């Protein structure tokens, strides 16, 4: 084997998924299975949250947990291939709003969104709702993360997103 190939850093060869959420519980409930299956497929996944009393629920799913404010105020060395954002953050943080709109306009990377409320200005920039049906392993790990996050009720087996251009998010299926 060529010695130069042995020294190629694995990180450079992996897809990267960055998830922005208000807290670990919101990420686990809305994107936990998708996150886990991406980690299982070899993606580098990190989650930046605004509030974090306990990072354990996200770590159970295999992702690194970062402070959202730190991420927004420091330069990022590695750009994600796919960015997933809770629409609650879109509505409350002007930096996230501006960055997300710019990303959707320039297609610098793919964008997936989830949330209870949907900003009307995103309607013409992203497609309709799509669902992710997670693997059995993702269901099991999401349930454990759900319990660790002290969530009430069972964890959902289907996660719903809206995406910009779905090339890397091809596993998200149209609803209906």
């Amino acid at each position: 084997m060529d010695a130069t190939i042995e020294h190629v850093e694995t990180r450079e060869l992996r897809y990267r998924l960055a998830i922005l959420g208000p807290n670990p519980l919101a990420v686990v409930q809305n994107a936990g299975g998708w996150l886990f299956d991406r980690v299982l497929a070899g993606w580098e996944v990190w989650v930046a949250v605004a509030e974090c009393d306990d990072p354990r629920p996200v770590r159970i799913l295999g992702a690194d947990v970062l402070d959202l404010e730190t991420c927004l105020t420091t330069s990022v060395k590695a750009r994600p291939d796919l960015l997933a954002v809770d629409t609650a953050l879109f509505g409350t943080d002007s930096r996230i709003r501006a960055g997300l709109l710019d990303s959707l306009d320039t297609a610098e990377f793919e964008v997936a969104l989830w949330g209870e409320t949907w900003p009307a200005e995103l309607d013409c920039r992203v497609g309709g709702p799509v669902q992710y049906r997670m693997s059995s392993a993702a269901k099991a790990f999401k349930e454990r993360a759900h319990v660790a996050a002290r969530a009430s009720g069972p964890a959902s087996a289907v996660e719903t997103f809206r995406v910009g251009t779905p090339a890397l998010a091809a596993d998200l299926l149209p609803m209906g």
Side-chain angles (χ1 to χ4, degrees):
M1 176 187 284
D2 185 359
T4 58
I5 294 175
E6 290 179 9
H7 296 291
V8 173
E9 190 174 333
T10 305
R11 294 172 66 96
E12 294 175 11
L13 302 176
R14 296 170 66 188
Y15 283 117
R16 292 183 181 98
L17 168 59
I19 298 177
L20 309 182
N23 55 57
L25 177 58
V27 172
V28 168
Q29 287 179 320
N30 295 290
W34 186 52
L35 178 165
F36 177 84
D37 279 337
R38 291 295 169 116
V39 169
L40 203 59
W43 284 55
E44 179 183 341
V45 179
W46 64 89
V47 174
V49 291
E51 298 173 10
C52 187
D53 293 338
D54 182 5
R56 196 170 38 115
V58 173
R59 288 188 181 145
I60 287 170
L61 299 172
D64 292 323
V65 182
L66 306 169
D67 175 66
L68 181 61
E69 186 60 31
T70 302
C71 291
L72 293 174
T73 57
T74 58
S75 62
V76 177
K77 292 181 177 138
R79 310 277 310 162
D81 298 291
L82 179 56
L83 174 68
V85 180
D86 188 317
T87 56
L89 293 176
F90 179 88
T92 59
D93 192 305
S94 62
R95 298 167 297 178
I96 292 173
R97 182 184 174 281
L100 188 59
L101 291 174
D102 184 56
S103 296
L104 286 167
D105 290 342
T106 63
E108 182 180 353
F109 41 78
E110 294 184 53
V111 175
L113 300 140
W114 80 84
E116 296 292 319
T117 59
W118 190 258
E121 68 187 300
L122 292 176
D123 282 340
C124 63
R125 295 177 181 204
V126 296
V130 292
Q131 290 184 330
Y132 180 69
R133 289 190 171 91
M134 63 196 84
S135 68
S136 296
K139 288 177 189 175
F141 276 82
K142 180 177 177 175
E143 187 62 42
R144 295 292 293 176
H146 202 251
V147 169
R150 295 179 216 88
S152 59
S156 172
V158 177
E159 297 165 346
T160 303
F161 302 90
R162 291 182 69 177
V163 296
T165 53
L168 291 176
D171 51 355
L172 300 175
L173 305 172
M175 292 176 65

